[in-house]
Amino acid sequence: MTSDLDQHLTRHLAEATEAVAAVVDLDDLRALDAELLGKASVVIEARRGLAAMDAEQRKDAGRRLNEVRAALEHLLAERRSTLEAEARAVTLEAERLDLTELDTGRRLGHRHVVTQTWERLEDIFVGMGFTVAEGPEIEDEWHNFGALNFPPDHPARDMYDTLYVDHGEPGSTLLRTHTSPVQIRVMESTEPPIYSIMPGRVFRSDTADATHMPVFHQIEGLVVDRGITFGDMAGTMDAFTKAYFGREFTSRLRPSYFPFTEPSAEFDILRDDGSWLELAGCGMVHPSVLQAGGLDPEIWSGFAFGFGLDRLALMRHGIDDLRELFRNDHRFLSQF
Ligand code: PHE
């Protein structure tokens, strides 16, 4: 082999190495491959020159040419796999799905703060030995008023802004204004002793403001047994509020009036700002109400209370506007 050819091939390999390294695109690499190994390539040209050489030179030159061609093939193959890996990475990045973004739209929901309060109250009272009863939201006049000792046209009916339902005799069917009608239904269907709570939704034609809603929730309590006293009632309400709010709280009972209890009281709790919030009405079940429920007031006595369930939720969570509970603003509700 002539040293000319040797130098020529060495230079060619050096130039080819640089050219291969400079290619950044698979199409360009294919073109370079044809240029370096194809019919018009330096290697093929040189091979053609072998015929003119003597046997010894041809053998050396032939070996050298094979080495150079193998080196070129190796260079090209390496560069191809690098470029292919890069192209794959680009495609993967472009087609990537951000699964964490998807997640924000698919958070698990949770129970509404009113439902949580409802269930918590049931748990506390069940723990105190009470059973849970429910009644209809659409009531008859008798259960909502008559049986609860509101005679027809009694002014105490004006305490409730009643929503009537267009069904039967005018004024005979209504959306219950309180959960107290369930007291009557429990007495009608249960033999004393009765220790029951009756949570539920109630309706009044009130204008919504920070402390009133036309639809809200109450939890009624009814105890009927032998020898029940006002002291039992005060003790029960105190035990309940301590269980619900914790031991540090101040409450008071204040004389009040309800046709279905005698004596009657209002149960208030002290707020942080020093004002009192009315949480419940309560009292000793009126003998006429026991009678309306089919019970003999000479044998049985009892007490009843009705808490505003939503107000219990407000107090516990330090919410200052009742309307927040019903706006269904996810950002607000997700805090509880
Ligand atoms: N039902 C009364 C109200 O809604 C509350 C209450 C219940 C009062 C039980 C006394 C006894 O205002």
Side-chain angles (χ1 to χ4, degrees):
M1 180 175 68
T2 62
S3 61
D4 272 3
L5 178 59
D6 192 27
Q7 279 174 11
H8 180 50
L9 288 177
T10 303
R11 208 181 313 117
H12 176 60
L13 189 55
E15 283 167 8
T17 304
E18 272 179 39
V20 169
V23 169
V24 292
D25 170 275
L26 281 164
D27 284 342
D28 291 350
L29 189 69
R30 262 187 292 279
L32 188 59
D33 188 302
E35 193 183 315
L36 295 176
L37 299 171
K39 286 195 188 106
S41 63
V42 169
V43 182
I44 298 295
E45 285 286 317
R47 192 171 292 281
R48 285 192 195 107
L50 292 181
M53 296 178 188
D54 62 37
E56 191 62 21
Q57 277 185 335
R58 190 186 309 137
K59 196 173 149 209
D60 280 353
R63 194 187 306 117
R64 178 73 182 129
L65 271 174
N66 283 343
E67 280 170 15
V68 170
R69 203 192 49 192
L72 290 173
E73 279 171 353
H74 180 71
L75 277 176
L76 288 162
E78 272 210 324
R79 187 71 188 137
R80 186 177 309 112
S81 74
T82 304
L83 290 179
E84 279 171 356
E86 282 175 15
R88 218 171 15 248
V90 168
T91 310
L92 276 180
E93 181 61 29
E95 293 177 357
R96 191 162 71 114
L97 288 180
D98 187 344
L99 298 177
T100 59
E101 249 174 47
L102 274 185
D103 176 58
T104 61
R106 296 177 185 228
R107 292 240 178 283
L108 268 186
H110 70 291
R111 288 163 308 150
H112 190 281
V113 60
V114 170
T115 311
Q116 291 177 37
T117 306
W118 182 318
E119 291 178 358
R120 203 186 150 79
L121 294 172
E122 287 188 358
D123 283 351
I124 292 174
F125 279 111
V126 167
M128 290 165 72
F130 284 68
T131 59
V132 181
E134 283 186 40
E137 293 178 346
I138 298 178
E139 261 298 4
D140 54 62
E141 181 279 332
W142 167 249
H143 285 93
N144 196 82
F145 288 128
L148 290 166
N149 202 30
F150 293 79
D153 302 321
H154 188 282
R157 293 195 184 209
D158 298 343
M159 286 160 59
Y160 302 94
D161 298 296
T162 309
L163 290 159
Y164 287 92
V165 176
D166 187 6
H167 177 80
E169 289 287 301
S172 66
T173 311
L174 44 81
L175 297 181
R176 66 179 179 194
T177 58
H178 50 181
T179 42
S180 298
V182 193
Q183 287 185 32
I184 304 297
R185 293 186 177 275
V186 169
M187 286 189 254
E188 283 169 348
S189 63
T190 317
E191 283 287 310
I194 295 169
Y195 291 81
S196 285
I197 51 154
M198 298 139 246
R201 197 152 58 142
V202 302
F203 309 83
R204 290 182 200 173
S205 108
D206 260 343
T207 308
D209 66 23
T211 49
H212 297 88
M213 284 294 289
V215 182
F216 58 104
H217 302 87
Q218 289 186 332
I219 181 162
E220 192 84 13
L222 176 67
V223 168
V224 178
D225 206 339
R226 288 173 218 266
I228 296 292
T229 68
F230 196 87
D232 295 322
M233 183 190 82
T236 302
M237 295 180 76
D238 188 60
F240 155 69
T241 18
K242 284 203 163 76
Y244 183 73
F245 289 112
R247 305 208 69 80
E248 296 298 313
F249 83 102
T250 312
S251 67
R252 68 177 181 192
L253 281 171
R254 163 171 62 88
S256 186
Y257 172 77
F258 298 99
F260 40 96
T261 47
E262 180 59 33
S264 302
E266 214 85 59
F267 181 82
D268 304 336
I269 183 163
L270 189 59
R271 280 195 280 217
D272 287 343
D273 67 0
S275 65
W276 293 93
L277 180 70
E278 181 189 318
L279 279 187
C282 56
M284 301 307 289
V285 182
H286 194 288
S288 312
V289 174
L290 290 170
Q291 257 162 354
L295 303 180
D296 183 350
E298 296 297 325
I299 304 175
W300 305 108
S301 62
F303 65 82
F305 54 81
F307 276 91
L309 194 154
D310 316 277
R311 289 188 178 179
L312 288 169
L314 296 190
M315 272 300 286
R316 192 180 160 86
H317 296 290
I319 305 165
D320 51 19
D321 193 328
L322 181 59
R323 288 166 293 191
E324 293 289 1
L325 298 185
F326 301 99
R327 267 191 195 118
N328 277 338
D329 183 333
H330 173 69
R331 290 163 304 178
F332 174 80
L333 292 174
S334 61
Q335 300 174 90
F336 307 102

